[in-house]
Amino acid sequence: MAAGLKTRKKQRLLVVSIGLTSLIGATLLVLFALGGDSLSLFLQPSEIKARGIEQGKHFRLGGLVESGSFFKEDDGLTYHFIVTDCAASQDVQFKGLLPDLFREGQGVVTEGALNANGVFVASTVLAKHDENYAPPGTLPKSEEQCVHPEAAASTYGTASYLVSG
Amino acid sequence: MHRFANPAQFNRLADSVMPWAFSVMVLTLASGLYFALFDSPADYQQGESVRIMYMHVPAAWMGMFVYMVMAVASFTALVWRHPLALIAGKAAAPIGAMFTALALITGALWGKPMWGTYWVWDGRLTSVLVQFFLYLGYMALWQAVEDDEKAGRAASILALVGVVNIPIIKFSVDWWNTLHQPASVMRLDGPTIHSDMLWPLLLVAVGYQAYFVVAFIWRMRLEINLRKLSVMRMNEVAGG
């Protein structure tokens, strides 16, 4: 009787463990098979050309606002800036209110479509912020004009600057 | 694990843990929230809005942590059929759901001024919402089935299936491009958050953790007592 109970427990342990591992394995495989693209929120400028996206097709574009590229039209409402992923860049035009965190050198996610001149006309602009939190003036200034989002993490992402704080 | 499967032993352990957990909770939450709200620097980009982080980030951590507690309890309940494991899962669920809701709500309130939107369907936000629904589903299954044994088994299976969502939440910001930024604290190359902001954050995190221990013990005791009560009632009816 006691031995029978023990084997049944072992059996349950085996069934539940195998079930759980295969389920997690299968789900992760499906996610990787789908690839990052279909589950990603936005396209980066270099992906626009690579995919040959036509004008008028609605999509989200994300990347960094290129330093020095931002200007306002004379009407005071229409903004122009360049979104870059350091490999390619894309002219963007937007009429509306920009979020507080919008600034050159920082990430944005915009939604809209390319017009006939190849300019991305955005209907919304969202600001992305990076993983750095610090009081003003404590972060080292980046020397480079264009820091790729993934590389940017390692610029600041060392524990060394924490000591100075 | 087996040693704590006995309710009497659980009660003894709970009695000794409770005063400690309660004092830690009061001290860390009070000091953590004081530093977070009044005595920590504003952010170089976000200004004062950064203070939402001190409530948002630990709540999100706890949402995942409590889920794992619920999942381990469910696993134990399914394999070893400990009644106390079922009770532990049932007791943890509403606390985890509350933390997940808190993370979602504070996140939305933070997203509006910073990002410019309350919500986007990116990988991180969506997977956390799925976690909230998993908690609700788990609780609903307990309610939906009359027989506690069966209800517990069904709910436990759901809890285990949902474990797959945990790595998705954690790595969503690395696997896919999202509006939500990557991790600032739990990353391989060390935190990217200034120490003056990291300490209040960790204090609040310890406070949330202690709150969980307190609430968890309370809820488990409540459930154990309710079961005792129903057994007593049944005996009374049977006795005439």
Side-chain angles (χ1 to χ4, degrees):
Chain A
M1 176 73 181
L5 251 172
K6 203 150 202 187
T7 39
R8 242 184 296 156
K9 275 182 189 170
K10 267 200 183 140
Q11 222 163 32
R12 283 205 298 263
L13 179 64
L14 205 67
V15 168
V16 175
S17 306
I18 292 175
L20 195 60
T21 359
S22 36
L23 180 83
I24 290 176
T27 314
L28 295 184
L29 280 176
V30 167
L31 288 180
F32 284 120
L34 277 173
D37 294 355
S38 49
L39 293 164
S40 282
L41 185 69
F42 54 84
L43 296 177
Q44 301 194 350
S46 50
E47 288 169 302
I48 298 177
K49 269 147 216 153
R51 291 175 176 225
I53 288 172
E54 299 147 31
Q55 73 171 80
K57 190 178 184 288
H58 208 76
F59 67 100
R60 287 200 199 88
L61 167 75
L64 295 172
V65 180
E66 202 169 287
S67 295
S69 72
F70 178 79
F71 69 91
K72 220 188 267 188
E73 262 180 37
D74 290 337
D75 65 357
L77 291 170
T78 314
Y79 303 103
H80 288 264
F81 52 90
I82 295 172
V83 168
T84 175
D85 59 4
C86 298
S89 31
Q90 172 63 50
D91 289 326
V92 178
Q93 175 193 325
F94 173 67
K95 195 173 179 175
L97 287 172
L98 289 170
D100 283 1
L101 266 189
F102 179 92
R103 54 204 67 172
E104 292 183 343
Q106 294 256 355
V108 282
V109 178
T110 65
E111 204 174 333
L114 295 170
N115 70 9
N117 303 324
V119 174
F120 186 80
V121 181
S123 52
T124 54
V125 173
L126 303 179
K128 232 170 113 67
H129 71 82
D130 59 20
E131 60 277 47
N132 297 298
Y133 293 92
T138 53
L139 274 185
K141 271 261 182 340
S142 171
E143 294 293 315
E144 283 168 87
Q145 272 292 310
C146 185
V147 185
H148 194 268
E150 266 126 60
S154 54
T155 319
Y156 298 142
T158 45
S160 58
Y161 91 89
L162 282 171
V163 182
S164 66
Chain B
M1 185 83 77
H2 297 248
R3 267 189 308 134
F4 307 119
N6 173 323
Q9 219 135 24
F10 166 79
N11 270 330
R12 268 199 298 281
L13 180 75
D15 280 336
S16 54
V17 169
M18 195 62 148
W20 291 102
F22 199 85
S23 337
V24 169
M25 175 185 87
V26 172
L27 287 175
T28 52
L29 274 187
S31 60
L33 287 177
Y34 172 76
F35 284 121
L37 298 179
F38 301 107
D39 200 10
S40 60
D43 185 63
Y44 77 121
Q45 293 286 357
Q46 305 191 34
E48 301 291 337
S49 311
V50 76
R51 301 189 192 286
I52 301 177
M53 172 188 68
Y54 301 105
M55 263 127 277
H56 172 78
V57 172
W61 287 343
M62 288 306 293
M64 293 166 77
F65 172 79
V66 178
Y67 197 93
M68 285 317 292
V69 170
M70 190 173 88
V72 170
S74 299
F75 187 84
T76 313
L78 283 177
V79 173
W80 291 286
R81 300 276 153 91
H82 288 327
L84 214 57
L86 272 187
I87 291 176
K90 194 181 179 186
I95 311 171
M98 183 215 52
F99 276 122
T100 309
L102 185 64
L104 287 168
I105 292 165
T106 52
L109 294 176
W110 194 10
K112 185 64 185 172
M114 291 298 111
W115 294 340
T117 182
Y118 290 112
W119 186 264
V120 285
W121 293 98
D122 79 353
R124 172 56 70 82
L125 277 61
T126 308
S127 55
V128 174
L129 185 67
V130 166
Q131 177 177 271
F132 182 64
F133 289 148
L134 282 167
Y135 277 120
L136 293 190
Y138 177 90
M139 292 190 280
L141 271 177
W142 269 106
Q143 298 296 319
V145 183
E146 195 73 35
D147 179 45
D148 260 7
E149 193 78 11
K150 280 184 190 147
R153 213 169 297 167
S156 296
I157 292 172
L158 175 69
L160 284 185
V161 169
V163 167
V164 72
N165 193 41
I166 295 287
I168 297 177
I169 293 179
K170 171 68 189 155
F171 296 111
S172 53
V173 286
D174 304 322
W175 290 342
W176 310 305
N177 58 44
T178 52
L179 185 61
H180 195 286
Q181 71 282 9
S184 295
V185 179
M186 296 192 181
R187 45 186 299 143
L188 293 174
D189 53 0
T192 56
I193 168 169
H194 195 275
S195 48
D196 290 354
M197 299 161 131
L198 186 59
W199 288 117
L201 180 69
L202 294 180
L203 274 176
V204 177
V206 172
Y208 278 10
Q209 191 69 248
Y211 166 82
F212 168 70
V213 173
V214 170
F216 187 50
I217 289 176
W218 268 337
R219 296 191 59 88
M220 277 188 75
R221 280 221 174 118
L222 174 71
E223 190 66 29
I224 290 169
N225 288 340
L226 282 175
R227 287 185 184 207
K228 272 190 200 153
L229 199 66
S230 79
V231 170
M232 271 158 64
R233 280 216 184 104
M234 269 200 285
N235 287 344
E236 226 167 74
V237 171

